[in-house]
Amino acid sequence: MGLFERYLTVWVGLAIIGGIALGSVAPDVFAAIAGLEYAHVNIVIALLIWLMIFPMMVQIDFSSIKDVGKKPKGLVLTLVINWLIKPFTMALLGWLFFKGLFADWVDPQTASEYIAGMILLGVAPCTAMVFVWSQLTKGDANYTLVQVSINDIIMIFAFAPIAGFLLGVTDITVPWDTLLLSVVLYVLIPLLAGAFTRQKLDKANDHSRLNSFLATMKPWSIVGLLATVVLLFGFQAETILQRPEAILLIAIPLLIQTYSIFAIAYWAAKRMQLPHNVAAPACMIGTSNFFELAVAVAVSLFGLHSGAALATVVGVLVEVPVMLSLVWFANRTRHWFGPVNASSEQSK
């Protein structure tokens, strides 16, 4: 884990502070950037999101899908958590807290936007950081690649319908054209571009040119993430300064969701008798979020100044320290899963 990944929460925290400060002293600049839109998509934010997403997509090797039949239990666990449990529990928690427990502290419109942001986080399974979590838990790297590749393909077809359904159930108007456009812009096109780039760079299958390209792109990806955070918090500087407790209110249900989903997945993995090097990454994939996608879609659907955009960015702030704590727990409980051997792995 590199310096940036290890201290991601610190960098995001500094970007938040910088964004609020800049938004307070130069609101006209942020207003001008907010006005650069086409078809409900902010051009500046879209470019920054692409800087974040594209290098992640280049890492995905879709040729690994041929191994989908090997150790199917771990893949089934990931898919069930990501697509049948996590989005719905996130929507339920959002509704419970912001329409119930926190109703007296948040106006109805803002509460709906917070719930929307949480839903978008819940429907976007992790793509890139999960490789870090897998490495830290000594997971099966090839199997993790299979899981991520399958999830990305499913995301193309499942993200919009599930997000649209849950947003509708929570009485949030769904602009379907914008939602579908967001999927094309931030999932389909980056996936195709990433696959094409990988194929061109890695013809020799020695990963040398590919690794060199990824190393070159990594700083730009970091710039994209931090610049996006600065802009989002700059757009909402006035609101945040007036109501700083909003960050805490959003973080509470996100924390509960993350730890609960991991507990469900880890318990299920143990009951399914998965080897630890498959169980730990499977649970990490099911627990963490593709927050870059969630941020982009929230901005497109609800706007740069929306509570939905704020909720997705708080997801960035919450996720890394929580996931590191879960990595620690998974490593400390490795003995719960027994020894790994070749025959048992082939059967899973």
Side-chain angles (χ1 to χ4, degrees):
M1 186 181 243
L3 181 66
F4 174 73
E5 290 88 352
R6 185 177 297 276
Y7 297 103
L8 180 58
T9 300
V10 175
W11 312 137
V12 171
L14 292 174
I16 289 172
I17 295 171
I20 294 172
L22 291 172
S24 300
V25 300
D28 293 342
V29 174
F30 285 85
I33 296 173
L36 298 174
E37 287 191 356
Y38 180 78
H40 301 289
V41 174
N42 183 272
I43 297 172
V44 177
I45 293 294
L47 291 174
L48 293 175
I49 294 292
W50 257 75
L51 273 180
M52 286 188 276
I53 293 178
F54 178 64
M56 302 172 190
M57 297 306 186
V58 176
Q59 294 182 64
I60 306 300
D61 181 6
F62 290 103
S63 65
S64 64
I65 294 174
K66 66 180 183 297
D67 298 323
V68 68
K70 299 179 180 178
K71 298 175 278 186
K73 288 184 179 180
L75 181 60
V76 169
L77 174 63
T78 300
L79 296 181
V80 169
I81 292 294
N82 276 335
W83 300 108
L84 299 181
I85 297 178
K86 182 177 170 184
F88 303 95
T89 56
M90 186 73 93
L92 178 61
L93 279 174
W95 180 87
L96 175 64
F97 276 88
F98 290 108
K99 294 296 186 180
L101 298 176
F102 295 160
D104 293 337
W105 298 333
V106 183
D107 67 84
Q109 176 63 32
T110 303
S112 294
E113 291 182 357
Y114 288 166
I115 295 170
M118 291 180 61
I119 288 172
L120 293 174
L121 281 169
V123 188
C126 188
T127 293
M129 286 297 290
V130 73
F131 292 116
V132 177
W133 312 137
S134 178
Q135 181 182 14
L136 291 176
T137 56
K138 298 180 181 179
D140 184 328
N142 292 327
Y143 196 73
T144 301
L145 186 60
V146 172
Q147 291 172 302
V148 172
S149 301
I150 294 294
N151 265 307
D152 280 359
I153 291 175
I154 291 175
M155 200 185 314
I156 296 173
F157 304 99
F159 180 88
I162 295 177
F165 170 75
L166 291 175
L167 292 172
V169 166
T170 52
D171 297 324
I172 298 169
T173 303
V174 182
W176 278 98
D177 54 343
T178 306
L179 180 58
L180 293 173
L181 176 62
S182 296
V183 174
V184 172
L185 279 177
Y186 302 120
V187 181
L188 180 59
I189 294 177
L191 269 176
L192 294 176
F196 176 79
T197 303
R198 184 184 181 94
Q199 192 271 332
K200 290 297 182 182
L201 290 174
D202 206 27
K203 286 184 177 179
N205 201 33
D206 60 2
H207 305 329
S208 58
R209 292 178 63 199
L210 176 65
N211 290 335
S212 176
F213 174 80
L214 291 173
T216 302
M217 288 298 299
K218 184 176 180 179
W220 291 105
S221 181
I222 295 169
V223 168
L225 171 60
L226 297 182
T228 301
V229 173
V230 168
L231 286 179
L232 289 173
F233 278 87
F235 294 137
Q236 305 197 55
E238 183 178 353
T239 302
I240 294 170
L241 290 174
Q242 291 176 351
R243 298 198 62 218
E245 72 277 7
I247 305 297
L248 177 61
L249 294 181
I250 296 169
I252 290 172
L254 289 180
L255 286 169
I256 293 172
Q257 162 78 1
T258 304
Y259 282 117
S260 298
I261 287 296
F262 181 84
I264 293 170
Y266 213 57
W267 173 82
K270 190 173 186 304
R271 289 294 301 268
M272 294 168 73
Q273 299 182 338
L274 295 177
H276 189 269
N277 67 343
V278 169
C283 295
M284 297 296 170
I285 294 172
T287 304
S288 55
N289 303 307
F290 189 2
F291 51 76
E292 298 88 348
L293 174 62
V295 167
V297 177
V299 169
S300 298
L301 291 179
F302 301 100
L304 292 162
H305 300 87
S306 67
L310 178 61
T312 56
V313 177
V314 173
V316 184
L317 187 63
V318 167
E319 176 161 323
V320 174
V322 170
M323 293 305 298
L324 286 173
S325 72
L326 293 176
V327 165
W328 174 87
F329 178 81
N331 286 333
R332 290 293 296 265
T333 56
R334 189 182 306 274
H335 61 281
W336 289 4
F337 293 81
V340 177
N341 57 67
S343 61
S344 67
E345 283 197 46
Q346 287 297 324
S347 67
K348 307 303 181 189

